[in-house]
């Protein structure tokens, strides 16, 4: 087998197996909805699926975001000195699902 054929086979294999991000595209209007509620005295920066959806999310504030189906990471980042504890979690959603995530800072 020639080196160029081997290289092409390797690239094809990488493209097929390396792009799995565990999400499935949903039709517009049928996306999953993740609603975040800040039930703490802290104001976290909130990221869903790596995209920041709220900076310094207010106390008792609610923020919703539409996402495709799959396993979605949710991260709450806090200031360097904070009374609250940061939370990193993930949820698995299907198209049309609604998920509620509460940050209580404990």
């Amino acid at each position: 087998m020639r080196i160029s054929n081997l290289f092409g086979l390797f690239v094809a294999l990488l493209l097929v197996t390396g792009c799995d991000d565990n999400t499935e595209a949903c039709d517009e209007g049928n996306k999953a909805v993740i609603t975040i509620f800040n039930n703490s005295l802290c104001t976290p920066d909130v990221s869903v699926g790596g995209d920041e959806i709220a900076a310094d999310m207010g106390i008792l504030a609610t923020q919703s975001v539409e996402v495709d189906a799959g396993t979605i990471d949710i991260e709450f980042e806090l200031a360097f000195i904070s009374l609250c504890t940061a939370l990193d979690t993930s949820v698995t959603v299907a198209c049309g699902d609604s998920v509620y995530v509460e940050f209580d800072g404990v």
Side-chain angles (χ1 to χ4, degrees), residues 2 12 25 31 38 48 51-53 60 64 73 95 98:
R2 297 176 63 196
K31 292 189 177 266
N38 182 14
V48 175
D51 297 326
E52 187 173 295
I53 63 163
L60 301 178
S64 294
D73 294 326
C95 296
S98 292

Side-chain angles (χ1 to χ4, degrees), residues 51-103:
D51 297 326
E52 187 173 295
I53 63 163
D56 294 327
M57 187 173 187
I59 299 168
L60 301 178
T62 302
Q63 182 71 39
S64 294
V65 62
E66 290 184 343
V67 297
D68 288 322
T71 301
I72 311 296
D73 294 326
I74 303 172
E75 299 173 353
F76 297 87
E77 293 183 26
L78 299 166
F80 181 68
I81 299 174
S82 177
L83 297 174
C84 296
T85 303
L87 172 68
D88 292 338
T89 188
S90 61
V91 293
T92 302
V93 293
C95 296
D97 280 354
S98 292
V99 176
Y100 180 81
V101 177
E102 183 175 324
F103 177 73

Side-chain angles (χ1 to χ4, degrees), residues 3 8 10 12 15 22 28 36-37 41 43 45-46 50 64 73 75-76 91 93-94 99:
I3 294 293
F10 176 74
L15 288 174
N22 295 326
E28 201 61 40
I36 311 289
F37 177 66
L41 297 177
T43 55
D45 294 339
V46 182
S64 294
D73 294 326
E75 299 173 353
F76 297 87
V91 293
V93 293
V99 176

